[in-house]
Amino acid sequence: MRVVLQYVPAKEGDSAENIDTDSIRDSVARLSIFAEQQVTLTEISDGGLCRAECHLQILVKEKWSLYPVPVYVKYRDTEIGGAFLVESNLFGQNKGGVIGGLISNRGWQALAGYTDPHIGYSRFSTTMRYLTGRVFLEDATTTGVVTRSYTLMRHDFQSATLYEIRHHLFLGVLAGLRSAQVIDSPAVNSAMNLNFGARFRYSDIVPQGYFQQGFESTLDLEQGVAAQGEKLHVISSATAWHYRPFRKQFLSLLYSFQWSEYPAVLEQRLGGWQGTRTLPALLIPADRFTVAAVNYQYALFEFPWVTFAAIAFVDAGAFARDRENATYFWGPGGGVRMYLSQMTIPALGVDVARDMVSRQLQISFFFGYNLQ
């Protein structure tokens, strides 16, 4: 009850004129732990329209909150399998936790994470994540030609603590440790950075139908203190707008950019995720990039527990590393998605995309969870 009531801006005895049932329902839906939520304001005496003394009733149906998530992701050059145990309503307080691991033809990784969207029912929230693993990396061109390869042992701890300064608007601090120790290549330097920064975030995303609707945008500013190797500094942003023009359809516009100086072993890797699906998956290192995507989804078949949707998209962008000239890419693609109505993640997806610059075709498949 406390989880829900913290989003209700009313107390017993308040005037019913100031109660917006639609706004309350949207706030409860944003928790993403309920399959259904109903908010009604009725007359106490007869249950009809609110006239004098009124009753505010909130009815919810909780989703499954603890579930195992098997993972299988297949790209042209990379195959990943594993499993995670996910809890989206830890302690019954809308806190989240995840723990699990992955093994692939490139090594192994383990992940543990925790999120608290309302520390002590305050306006503060926090997210923490620890990632470790031994990974074989390859640097490649947009045509898939490998230019360099090496193996590293990775440790990455990141945290973000935010404060909601206004409705949907958050300001917070970032802190973490990024470490990558190269094992088998003297030509690539190891690196370790303590990173600190600030985050500005706006989000009014609300679950709608089998997907979601609304706008969200995040801007991160980070500076690293080098304990080993080169230091880093990062300016990055990700923005998404989702719109539901008709009941079975969703249109999404996505844009992200990063302007940074990274040690080579910590660089962002493009390919396989939205905006970069026309590139070889996870093989394109970049310090600087700007990418955009337009997604259109249509529900082909809807059942009480699952929805199958077709997706068409166009990805485009440019990237560079160090002082190299920018490389451009763009192309169309399409695929399918399977969404489970009782869970908050897509259960299955297949994408096929063609880069119109390099003339390369990329195919990706994921089951259980899209890691990107």
Side-chain angles (χ1 to χ4, degrees):
M1 183 183 297
R2 289 189 66 190
V3 172
V4 173
L5 291 183
Q6 67 179 317
Y7 295 100
V8 179
K11 302 183 297 296
E12 186 175 354
D14 287 354
S15 172
E17 295 179 357
N18 300 322
I19 297 178
D20 185 345
T21 56
D22 290 338
S23 177
I24 295 173
R25 184 172 57 251
D26 285 350
S27 295
V28 174
R30 287 190 184 96
L31 297 174
S32 297
I33 58 175
F34 300 118
E36 298 176 11
Q37 49 274 320
Q38 300 177 14
V39 182
T40 57
L41 195 60
T42 57
E43 181 66 26
I44 291 178
S45 59
D46 57 13
L49 293 177
C50 175
R51 296 185 300 275
E53 290 186 302
C54 307
H55 180 209
L56 177 65
Q57 185 177 52
I58 303 173
L59 299 177
V60 294
K61 179 181 178 181
E62 190 173 336
K63 294 181 180 181
W64 291 345
S65 63
L66 177 64
Y67 43 85
V69 180
V71 175
Y72 179 74
V73 183
K74 172 66 175 176
Y75 301 120
R76 175 182 296 178
D77 302 295
T78 304
E79 191 170 6
I80 304 170
F84 292 92
L85 184 64
V86 179
E87 171 60 75
S88 60
N89 193 20
L90 194 63
F91 312 125
Q93 300 293 312
N94 191 33
K95 306 178 193 305
V98 60
I99 187 169
L102 303 170
I103 188 168
S104 74
N105 60 324
R106 297 180 179 276
W108 63 270
Q109 294 187 79
L111 172 72
Y114 172 78
T115 181
D116 187 341
H118 46 73
I119 301 174
Y121 295 97
S122 69
R123 290 177 173 266
F124 285 95
S125 62
T126 188
T127 300
M128 293 177 284
R129 184 204 70 187
Y130 174 65
L131 175 68
T132 185
R134 180 185 173 114
V135 185
F136 173 68
L137 295 180
E138 291 181 312
D139 297 347
T141 66
T142 55
T143 57
V145 176
V146 176
T147 60
R148 184 170 64 178
S149 61
Y150 52 94
T151 303
L152 57 81
M153 187 68 194
R154 182 180 180 187
H155 297 279
D156 193 337
F157 172 77
Q158 299 297 319
S159 68
T161 302
L162 307 181
Y163 179 76
E164 188 175 13
I165 56 178
R166 296 184 61 183
H167 198 39
H168 306 312
L169 183 62
F170 302 84
L171 172 64
V173 294
L174 308 175
L177 169 69
R178 292 189 174 102
S179 172
Q181 303 299 314
V182 179
I183 297 173
D184 58 1
S185 176
V188 184
N189 295 324
S190 300
M192 181 185 296
N193 266 259
L194 296 168
N195 60 289
F196 306 92
R199 170 169 292 176
F200 305 88
R201 176 168 172 78
Y202 177 87
S203 177
D204 65 358
I205 296 292
V206 179
Q208 291 284 339
Y210 62 91
F211 195 57
Q212 59 190 13
Q213 181 167 284
F215 175 83
E216 62 181 348
S217 184
T218 301
L219 174 66
D220 289 347
L221 309 174
E222 293 183 76
Q223 180 68 48
V225 179
Q228 181 182 10
E230 304 173 64
K231 65 179 181 180
L232 65 85
H233 67 263
V234 184
I235 302 174
S236 61
S237 178
T239 298
W241 176 70
H242 308 287
Y243 176 62
R244 188 183 189 181
F246 302 103
R247 189 180 69 84
K248 294 185 176 184
Q249 303 176 45
F250 284 93
L251 175 67
S252 299
L253 305 179
L254 304 102
Y255 173 73
S256 61
F257 75 84
Q258 178 174 291
W259 184 271
S260 65
E261 289 188 8
Y262 265 124
V265 290
L266 297 177
E267 287 175 330
Q268 175 73 43
R269 292 191 160 260
L270 310 184
W273 46 278
Q274 295 192 82
T276 70
R277 288 165 288 194
T278 67
L279 299 177
L282 308 179
L283 295 182
I284 309 295
D287 283 317
R288 306 181 305 279
F289 63 82
T290 177
V291 301
V294 179
N295 295 345
Y296 170 77
Q297 293 189 78
Y298 181 82
L300 299 174
F301 307 103
E302 292 182 290
F303 303 99
W305 288 86
V306 66
T307 296
F308 293 90
I311 182 171
F313 59 84
V314 176
D315 287 0
F319 66 88
R321 67 183 308 194
D322 301 327
R323 299 185 182 278
E324 297 174 355
N325 293 328
T327 299
Y328 297 88
F329 63 92
W330 77 276
V336 296
R337 295 288 186 272
M338 183 179 78
Y339 297 94
L340 296 176
S341 60
Q342 293 297 318
M343 296 185 184
T344 60
I345 58 175
L348 181 148
V350 179
D351 287 335
V352 179
R354 179 177 173 81
D355 183 38
M356 302 306 291
V357 179
S358 66
R359 305 294 182 181
Q360 298 292 304
L361 187 70
Q362 305 294 337
I363 301 175
S364 62
F365 170 85
F366 64 87
F367 172 78
Y369 187 63
N370 185 354
L371 298 179
Q372 298 298 323

